[in-house]
């Protein structure tokens, strides 16, 4: 593994179903993030984690939950999917050294909720 | 909350032309980042800027951190087909704070 991996690559899901998007990084970065990307809206932050064991809400957290049990993994869960959650989801990570905090992105998961 | 206005939204250029795009913020930023996203992939970091007035190059790409700290510019010289994609700016007020992303500039090269 090199960088950030996401799974699945794409998924079609019935409304009301539970779904977990997986994200793993091997860079030992402290911080991890989940974004959704919708046409014309750019990248919007869903949840983030500054370090293992802590999480925080981003701009659009409703309907999503996250956990950060260890440094490498940051799964995103949709407890009961709705069609408005159809989007492309990107996981990102950053080292969070003081003053230098570039984020690196995974390849994305394309989710369709019917 | 903070807002980032990125312009233009889209550009149609011929191969070999130079490209300019910019981002403006309603707030002062201490960090500006520029990303490129190819179709079906995640954004890739192009250039990071940490100081007002800073001018940084990465090959044919040059980005500047505006003196007012409320804007940033990205220029691409002598465009080639692989420059096609969506370019995003992102900014942060203080280290460790979450990034705010622009809505992107879609670059298309006309054959």
């Amino acid at each position: 593994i090199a960088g950030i991996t996401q799974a699945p690559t794409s998924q079609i899901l019935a409304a009301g179903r539970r779904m977990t998007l997986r994200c793993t990084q091997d860079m030992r970065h402290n911080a991890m993030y989940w974004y959704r990307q919708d046409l014309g809206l750019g990248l919007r932050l869903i949840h983030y984690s500054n370090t293992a064991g802590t999480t925080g809400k981003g701009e659009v957290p409703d309907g999503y939950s996250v956990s950060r049990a260890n440094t490498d993994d940051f799964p995103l869960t949709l407890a009961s999917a709705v069609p408005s959650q159809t989007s492309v989801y990107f996981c990102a990570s950053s080292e969070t050294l003081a003053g230098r905090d570039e984020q690196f992105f995974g390849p994305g998961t394309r989710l369709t909720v019917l | 909350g903070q807002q980032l206005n990125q312009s233009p939204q889209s550009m149609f250029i011929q191969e070999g032309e130079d490209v300019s795009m910019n981002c403006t913020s309603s707030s002062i930023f201490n960090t500006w980042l520029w990303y490129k996203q190819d179709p079906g992939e995640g954004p890739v970091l192009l250039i990071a800027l940490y100081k007002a007035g800073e001018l940084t190059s990465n090959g044919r790409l040059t980005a500047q951190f505006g003196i007012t700290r409320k804007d940033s510019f990205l220029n691409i010289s002598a465009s080639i087909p692989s420059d096609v994609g969506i370019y995003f700016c992102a900014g942060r007020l203080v280290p460790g704070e979450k990034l705010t992303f622009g809505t992107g500039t879609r670059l298309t090269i006309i054959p």
Side-chain angles (χ1 to χ4, degrees):
Chain A
I1 297 178
I4 299 178
T5 58
Q6 292 185 236
T9 302
S10 64
Q11 182 75 44
I12 298 174
L13 190 66
R17 296 296 295 270
R18 180 184 180 89
M19 175 73 191
T20 295
L21 308 185
R22 299 185 297 279
C23 174
T24 300
Q25 55 104 357
D26 66 353
M27 298 175 283
R28 306 304 293 174
H29 283 173
N30 291 321
M32 296 186 75
Y33 313 84
W34 274 105
Y35 294 88
R36 59 177 290 172
Q37 185 176 32
D38 303 292
L39 192 64
L41 294 175
L43 289 156
R44 293 184 293 169
L45 183 66
I46 303 170
H47 284 288
Y48 66 96
S49 168
N50 285 330
T51 188
T54 68
T55 63
K57 294 182 179 180
E59 181 184 355
V60 288
D62 294 342
Y64 306 94
S65 63
V66 292
S67 61
R68 186 88 183 277
N70 57 61
T71 297
D72 299 342
D73 301 301
F74 192 43
L76 176 74
T77 297
L78 289 68
S80 179
V82 296
S84 63
Q85 291 177 311
T86 293
S87 187
V88 182
Y89 291 86
F90 289 101
C91 180
S93 71
S94 64
E95 193 167 4
T96 67
L97 289 176
R100 302 273 161 169
D101 196 6
E102 298 95 339
Q103 290 186 18
F104 298 89
F105 285 81
T109 293
R110 182 176 296 275
L111 182 67
T112 302
V113 183
L114 302 176
Chain B
Q2 297 164 2
Q3 295 183 344
L4 271 185
N5 295 311
Q6 188 171 348
S7 66
Q9 289 187 336
S10 60
M11 302 183 73
F12 296 84
I13 63 168
Q14 291 188 322
E15 185 176 350
E17 287 187 26
D18 296 341
V19 173
S20 291
M21 61 189 77
N22 69 83
C23 269
T24 58
S25 169
S26 57
S27 305
I28 291 174
F29 280 167
N30 282 336
T31 299
W32 283 99
L33 305 175
W34 284 93
Y35 288 86
K36 184 196 176 200
Q37 185 178 25
D38 290 328
E41 298 184 12
V44 174
L45 182 67
L46 298 174
I47 294 177
L49 303 162
Y50 296 99
K51 189 176 176 182
E54 181 179 355
L55 186 71
T56 298
S57 293
N58 178 6
R60 294 177 295 104
L61 277 63
T62 301
Q64 185 164 22
F65 194 138
I67 291 294
T68 65
R69 294 166 61 193
K70 289 187 176 183
D71 55 11
S72 180
F73 307 88
L74 176 69
N75 296 316
I76 305 172
S77 62
S79 59
I80 60 177
S82 62
D83 291 334
V84 165
I86 303 176
Y87 292 80
F88 290 99
C89 63
R92 178 187 295 115
L93 177 57
V94 295
E97 188 179 88
K98 300 170 286 297
L99 283 174
T100 299
F101 280 85
T103 52
T105 295
R106 182 181 295 272
L107 180 64
T108 302
I109 294 183
I110 305 168

